[in-house]
Amino acid sequence: MAMQQHLYIREHHRHPITALGYHAARRECLTGFEDGVIKWWDMDNGRMSLCTKEHAGRVTQFLSWIQARLLFSASNDSSVIVWAPGGTVLDRIQLGYPIFTLAISLARHLLLCGSKGRLVAFPLDERRESGHAVNLSQGFSDQTHTDIVSCIACLDNNIYTAGYDKRLLIFDTYQSPSRKGLTTKHCISHAHKAAITHLLLVRQQETTRMLSGSFDQTVGIWSQDGQLIHRLGPFTSNITALCYVATVGIVWIASGTSQPTLYEPQSGEIVSQFISTFRGQQIEGLVLQQLLSLPDSRHVIGSAKPQQMLVWRYSELGCLIVLPCKHPVECLAYAKKEPILLFSGDSSGVLQKWERSYVSPFIYSMESFHISGANLERRGPFAQQVEKSCKGEPQLRPRSPLKWGKASSRHQSGYSPFRTTAKDTHKENIGFVRAVFAEELDILVVSATNGNIYLWEFESFIPDTKSPGQDQDSRTPAPPCAQDEMVQDPSSKCVAGFACRTVLCGHTGMVTALTLAGTDTTICFPYLLSGGWDGRLCLWDLQNHSLQNEFSSIPGNNGPILDMAYSPKRREFALSFSTGRIFICAFNPHCINLVLLAELGHQASAVALVWHPLEDKWVSGSEDGSIHLWSEDGGCCLKDLKAPRGITCLCIDQANGCIVAGVHDTIRVYDPNSGVQVQSHTGHQDSIKGVIHVPEMEQYVSVSLDGTVCMWKAYHQGD
């Protein structure tokens, strides 16, 4: 559900593009040029279907009259041409003065023309009873503007105009038996400090906003009755285009750069950093000039210097939101309690906590947590080998295992969605590899390249309530905490922190496999199984933060453990190796020896492994691109799927049971019964290291070595 670049056309016409349009009847886009030439383009293949020259001067505006299946084109040669669906001239209207902009008021059935110091209205005449497509004899005008009327917009009975005289006007029409005219309802004499070049009406379910762009490099946000709400900018250059893409609810603002600024009217925030449309599509030397969102909102067309044309198209499979990180992202987990939190760990040893804004689905706040010196408790047989400890900076919002605290305001002046409370602390030279979240215990488990497993927990405390007369030295030190730098609530009775105070030291090499397990599936999963490059398999008691067992009876020389999965139904777990072998074992936290139940395998390294809770099957993926579905007891391979490239990660769609696979830089969704690929998502620029399904948001979330966390629309049968 995103706009993606569809066409890039290098125009070889010797004159610049001065207007963009769309003929709804032909479903073609148009470019008008400074010399009066008009070209018609097929939006599917980018081929030119027609080239005409009917204007003697610059083409200034195109306007599609959808109801009549006609198209108007205006020029500074004082003419307005009406085009038939076949691309032929139906009517030529000579007005005697240059026309700079056009609009149709459907409520008043008027064609509106903007000229220098004049707004002219003509009744539409679809049947051409007056001899033209508009009734010229019944036209009327207003001359409140003192310079070029550069833009017109219509909403219900209101007509909005703006011009080079810096004025923003709101008109209504009146009609009597003897006279028709325009009446000024509201006049803003100095809406901008320079000429106003663009006007855009954004109508949403609850509100209607008007946006104005100007040579003063700002965008004004106005209510529909002309009250200034906010002003965006200054931008890097003059505002050259404004367009609203209704399908995604975003305004594109062009201001002399290669990519537009993306603004969401609902939240009033710039959301460019969260939208993937222009990510990785920088074209050297390109300067975006004009933008036009087509009536069906599935396409946006644009022109750019020097002499280029671009078309973007809406895609159901496009990236919904992209969260940029500074380093390659290796692992991903999420917490289900509201508000849903995403956790990503990168190759530099930084953990990010992402929380969606309550005012906009496009905005996420991020906090970073680093490995730093702190009071850390080390658990495990190799605890003495750990010379450094770790601690995360506190979070901004309180959380307990049962209930989230009251949301704090994040949209006050000066707020940045990437504001971080983490200090630039000394970090170990490590990277995070795997992450899982123990929902029942509120513990985030993250493994690292140095062999350690870090436990991050939400902690809360009640502030000290001793009387001022008590000895300060007798107080018990409280856990570290921090309040939101932007919002401090003095009435708060407790503060929560997100901190790492425990490291599990049971491995001598990188920990590449983690899975949660439990003896009673109706209660919780208090145990953690871990494996890594050292070939060790460890069992941890998460409630007590202690090593429960280290299994040493793994048969054969299998190389590093790459992944693990747990079956709550069977109380069994499986582990996969770099040799391609997969073992299914019984889970008993009190049994010292490993009980092997079945052996499976791939011909290449088995890099990904999951339990399918809806099909009661084991699913494994290999670096040779094979995906195997195994019987519940692991006795046989029921289905063998083949991806075009190596599998990097797997997850199960909890709603429909589809297998979601990271295949290098592409997410591919397979139906487990037919084995057919039913959906794919492209947009990552490097290998995908983790993918999860978040059913609460109906989205897939993926992380990649390209340094991004991306969100995609989950597959729905029948889409």
Side-chain angles (χ1 to χ4, degrees):
M1 296 177 64
M3 302 299 295
Q4 297 180 334
Q5 185 170 315
H6 172 56
L7 293 174
Y8 173 72
I9 302 170
R10 178 77 179 186
E11 176 57 64
H12 297 288
H13 197 72
R14 63 181 181 273
H15 292 277
I17 299 171
T18 56
L20 294 175
Y22 176 67
H23 197 322
R26 292 175 60 93
R27 300 189 65 82
E28 291 181 338
C29 58
L30 298 88
T31 50
F33 295 86
E34 191 175 51
D35 60 351
V37 169
I38 297 175
K39 294 183 180 182
W40 311 62
W41 304 88
D42 187 308
M43 289 192 300
D44 291 328
N45 54 35
R47 296 174 182 171
M48 185 177 66
S49 62
L50 188 64
C51 181
T52 61
K53 190 179 188 306
E54 297 292 341
H55 284 289
R58 171 199 297 258
V59 180
T60 56
Q61 179 81 48
F62 291 108
L63 177 64
S64 184
W65 184 6
I66 298 175
Q67 293 75 12
R69 306 183 75 244
L70 300 176
L71 175 80
F72 294 98
S73 64
S75 170
N76 64 359
D77 65 0
S78 304
S79 70
V80 174
I81 295 177
V82 184
W83 300 86
T88 58
V89 176
L90 179 67
D91 193 6
R92 190 183 303 271
I93 304 170
Q94 294 292 340
L95 296 179
Y97 41 82
I99 304 300
F100 298 101
T101 185
L102 297 172
I104 286 180
S105 171
L106 293 177
R108 299 301 192 188
H109 206 61
L110 295 173
L111 174 69
L112 301 160
C113 306
S115 184
K116 185 172 183 180
R118 180 188 301 179
L119 173 65
V120 187
F122 299 102
L124 294 169
D125 187 358
E126 185 175 350
R127 297 181 180 180
R128 302 179 65 199
E129 295 175 350
S130 64
H132 294 283
V134 297
N135 193 325
L136 298 177
S137 63
Q138 294 185 15
F140 50 95
S141 65
D142 179 272
Q143 298 184 18
T144 305
H145 281 288
T146 59
D147 206 333
I148 291 175
V149 178
S150 56
C151 36
I152 307 171
C154 300
L155 177 65
D156 300 328
N157 294 329
N158 288 339
I159 299 168
Y160 301 83
T161 65
Y164 281 24
D165 58 3
K166 311 174 191 177
R167 293 184 177 183
L168 178 59
L169 300 177
I170 304 176
F171 291 98
D172 197 357
T173 61
Y174 65 87
Q175 184 173 353
S176 66
S178 59
R179 188 180 179 188
K180 295 180 180 179
L182 294 164
T183 178
T184 304
K185 295 176 62 176
H186 189 49
C187 176
I188 306 169
S189 299
H190 293 87
H192 284 269
K193 295 180 179 179
I196 301 173
T197 55
H198 293 84
L199 203 58
L200 177 69
L201 281 169
V202 177
R203 195 167 195 173
Q204 296 178 313
Q205 290 183 350
E206 298 180 358
T207 59
T208 298
R209 293 286 182 262
M210 181 169 53
L211 280 70
S212 58
S214 168
F215 285 152
D216 65 7
Q217 303 181 6
T218 69
V219 172
I221 313 296
W222 310 82
S223 65
Q224 66 185 78
D225 60 353
Q227 302 302 313
L228 181 64
I229 297 172
H230 185 53
R231 198 176 294 276
L232 303 176
F235 290 83
T236 56
S237 184
N238 300 337
I239 307 302
T240 62
L242 294 173
C243 81
Y244 177 60
V245 188
T247 310
V248 294
I250 300 295
V251 173
W252 293 14
I253 304 171
S255 57
T257 60
S258 62
Q259 299 176 354
T261 299
L262 307 182
Y263 168 79
E264 194 205 11
Q266 180 180 346
S267 64
E269 296 281 356
I270 301 294
V271 295
S272 302
Q273 66 267 44
F274 300 110
I275 307 296
S276 65
T277 301
F278 302 96
R279 186 174 181 84
Q281 295 187 3
Q282 187 84 13
I283 302 176
E284 187 175 355
L286 182 144
V287 179
L288 196 62
Q289 287 293 108
Q290 302 174 74
L291 292 168
L292 177 65
S293 181
L294 305 191
D296 60 6
S297 295
R298 299 194 70 87
H299 290 83
V300 172
I301 57 177
S303 67
K305 292 181 179 179
Q307 291 298 88
Q308 294 160 96
M309 181 179 168
L310 303 98
V311 178
W312 295 270
R313 184 167 63 183
Y314 175 78
S315 171
E316 287 277 351
L317 304 180
C319 179
L320 299 172
I321 299 167
V322 60
L323 307 177
C325 303
K326 294 182 179 180
H327 302 280
V329 189
E330 298 274 357
C331 58
L332 177 67
Y334 89 103
K336 298 179 181 179
K337 295 188 181 77
E338 287 292 340
I340 294 171
L341 297 179
L342 297 172
F343 302 96
S344 59
D346 66 29
S347 60
S348 68
V350 176
L351 179 72
Q352 296 92 15
K353 178 171 71 69
W354 306 91
E355 180 180 340
R356 185 165 64 174
S357 165
Y358 65 93
V359 299
S360 170
F362 293 100
I363 299 176
Y364 277 74
S365 61
M366 184 269 283
E367 293 177 74
S368 294
F369 304 92
H370 305 277
I371 303 300
S372 62
N375 297 322
L376 180 71
E377 187 174 2
R378 307 173 190 88
R379 303 291 183 93
F382 298 99
Q384 300 303 318
Q385 299 180 14
V386 182
E387 298 178 355
K388 295 182 180 181
S389 57
C390 70
K391 173 193 173 184
E393 295 297 324
Q395 68 155 7
L396 298 184
R397 295 183 58 186
R399 189 190 197 217
S400 68
L402 299 178
K403 187 178 181 181
W404 288 92
K406 183 177 71 172
S408 59
S409 172
R410 295 179 180 270
H411 298 277
Q412 298 189 7
S413 176
Y415 167 73
S416 167
F418 285 99
R419 191 173 193 83
T420 173
T421 59
K423 299 177 181 178
D424 187 15
T425 55
H426 176 71
K427 295 176 285 185
E428 297 182 63
N429 185 25
I430 67 167
F432 290 133
V433 184
R434 288 287 188 271
V436 293
F437 190 82
E439 197 73 36
E440 297 83 357
L441 303 176
D442 254 3
I443 296 176
L444 177 68
V445 183
V446 185
S447 67
T449 55
N450 63 357
N452 290 340
I453 300 172
Y454 299 96
L455 305 185
W456 302 76
E457 301 181 63
F458 295 92
E459 299 178 341
S460 59
F461 70 96
I462 303 300
D464 184 49
T465 56
K466 290 188 177 184
S467 62
Q470 288 181 292
D471 186 2
Q472 296 289 333
D473 296 334
S474 66
R475 298 182 181 182
T476 302
C481 66
Q483 291 176 306
D484 193 328
E485 296 181 19
M486 300 305 303
V487 180
Q488 297 186 11
D489 183 7
S491 64
S492 177
K493 296 298 182 183
C494 63
V495 179
F498 185 57
C500 177
R501 302 193 184 282
T502 306
V503 60
L504 306 180
C505 309
H507 293 274
T508 58
M510 180 166 57
V511 179
T512 50
L514 295 174
T515 191
L516 299 170
T519 56
D520 188 345
T521 59
T522 62
I523 300 178
C524 65
F525 295 87
Y527 295 100
L528 174 73
L529 286 159
S530 63
W533 280 24
D534 59 5
R536 283 190 172 95
L537 175 62
C538 295
L539 175 65
W540 306 89
D541 183 343
L542 287 181
Q543 288 181 318
N544 298 312
H545 297 186
S546 62
L547 180 67
Q548 183 84 359
N549 195 6
E550 181 187 351
F551 299 101
S552 57
S553 56
I554 301 177
N557 182 14
N558 303 289
I561 300 173
L562 299 184
D563 204 2
M564 285 193 288
Y566 177 72
S567 168
K569 175 185 177 181
R570 298 182 61 86
R571 295 185 185 175
E572 298 170 0
F573 68 96
L575 57 160
S576 63
F577 294 86
S578 61
T579 58
R581 301 177 77 182
I582 300 172
F583 295 142
I584 297 178
C585 307
F587 177 73
N588 186 345
H590 307 294
C591 181
I592 298 177
N593 297 319
L594 192 67
V595 180
L596 179 63
L597 301 176
E599 181 179 342
L600 324 172
H602 287 264
Q603 294 183 353
S605 296
V607 297
L609 187 61
V610 291
W611 167 256
H612 198 311
L614 304 182
E615 297 285 335
D616 291 331
K617 295 181 178 70
W618 297 99
V619 183
S620 59
S622 170
E623 65 178 11
D624 64 6
S626 63
I627 300 174
H628 290 173
L629 278 74
W630 307 89
S631 61
E632 184 176 346
D633 59 0
C636 62
C637 179
L638 302 175
K639 195 172 292 293
D640 184 4
L641 311 180
K642 187 66 177 178
R645 298 190 65 172
I647 306 301
T648 57
C649 53
L650 290 172
C651 80
I652 302 299
D653 189 310
Q654 302 298 313
N656 53 45
C658 286
I659 299 169
V660 185
V663 183
H664 184 47
D665 58 359
T666 302
I667 296 174
R668 301 183 183 273
V669 185
Y670 297 92
D671 184 294
N673 298 313
S674 65
V676 174
Q677 178 182 307
V678 294
Q679 189 166 291
S680 68
H681 302 277
T682 58
H684 278 298
Q685 307 299 314
D686 206 334
S687 181
I688 298 169
K689 300 297 289 183
V691 61
I692 60 175
H693 176 226
V694 184
E696 295 84 356
M697 299 193 301
E698 297 183 339
Q699 293 176 2
Y700 303 136
V701 184
S702 58
V703 295
S704 168
L705 295 181
D706 64 9
T708 62
V709 180
C710 290
M711 302 177 190
W712 320 81
K713 180 184 178 183
Y715 171 68
H716 291 273
Q717 292 175 326
D719 283 1

